[in-house]
Amino acid sequence: MTTFVIRHGRTALSATYQVNGDPAAAVPLDEVGVRQCAVHRGALWLQGIAVTVTSRFPRTKQTAGLLLGGAEPNVVDPRLDEIDYGHFEGGPWLRYGAWLREHGLAAVPPGGSESWYQATERLLVGLAICLDLPGPRLVVGHGLLVSLLLALRCNDGPPDGAALPEAPYVSPLRLTDVELRELVQRGARAGG
């Protein structure tokens, strides 16, 4: 089976590198994000998708709906949510990144509920659960999820939370079940 993991389409916040880790905040796709989805709608890689999994965030559900002609996601899984940025919510990612470098990946940001390590562990568990679903699968998540997978794919060591590769919008990362299982295990061994 195959799983396609993508980052949601662009939003006004993501375009300016502002963080949003609160699923209650209504942050829809901007015009560019809607166009990004339109480019992929009907693409060969979307044909035959059996299950669509998203986070609780409106932008992931909107992306899935635009890609699949308005269809609602089959599964909404909070384990795929973006990291809780705490007091950094709505601010520049660079401010959170500087704090992360100073305090470490195991520190919980002020006002937050999880560390970077805890968030990445949660994301990996959410991905592992997808292996039990019929395929092919479409997982629409956030930049952290895709960046983490890209880093794990390129490196056996622990990913650096402050220096992950930037995840492209609505660009499918195609993973076989064997590859997905291996990346989840590699992430667990790396401590994130």
Side-chain angles (χ1 to χ4, degrees):
M1 281 301 140
T2 301
T3 302
F4 296 97
V5 182
I6 66 168
R7 180 184 185 185
H8 58 78
R10 196 180 88 165
T11 69
L13 287 180
S14 65
T16 57
Y17 299 96
Q18 307 294 304
V19 298
N20 169 236
D22 178 4
V27 180
L29 303 186
D30 63 12
E31 289 180 25
V32 171
V34 171
R35 283 196 307 271
Q36 290 165 337
C37 293
V39 166
H40 289 279
R41 186 169 178 205
L44 189 58
W45 63 271
L46 287 169
Q47 302 306 309
I49 294 293
V51 175
T52 305
V53 184
T54 69
S55 72
R56 295 180 295 166
F57 286 67
R59 60 189 177 265
T60 62
K61 296 176 193 176
Q62 183 184 9
T63 297
L66 289 170
L67 289 173
L68 299 173
E72 292 289 316
N74 303 96
V75 179
V76 176
D77 191 335
R79 290 173 291 212
L80 298 176
D81 285 357
E82 180 64 286
I83 190 171
D84 178 357
Y85 291 102
H87 290 307
F88 296 101
E89 178 67 29
W93 189 94
L94 287 175
R95 200 172 76 202
Y96 171 73
W99 179 89
L100 195 60
R101 277 194 280 309
E102 181 180 342
H103 296 277
L105 302 178
V108 176
S113 62
E114 62 187 348
S115 70
W116 188 88
Y117 277 140
Q118 291 167 324
T120 57
E121 179 181 305
R122 169 179 52 77
L123 288 167
L124 292 170
V125 168
L127 275 178
I129 299 301
C130 291
L131 290 165
D132 295 331
L133 301 172
R137 309 165 197 97
L138 172 62
V139 176
V140 184
H142 301 270
L144 175 58
L145 173 64
V146 175
S147 293
L148 177 64
L149 290 172
L150 291 171
L152 288 169
R153 212 179 206 190
C154 296
N155 190 347
D156 284 333
D160 179 356
L164 290 174
E166 184 172 356
Y169 299 104
V170 197
S171 181
L173 179 59
R174 183 185 187 279
L175 300 169
T176 66
D177 283 3
V178 171
E179 291 170 314
L180 181 54
R181 195 171 285 112
E182 181 182 308
L183 290 176
V184 167
Q185 291 170 351
R186 187 179 299 165
R189 284 193 309 267

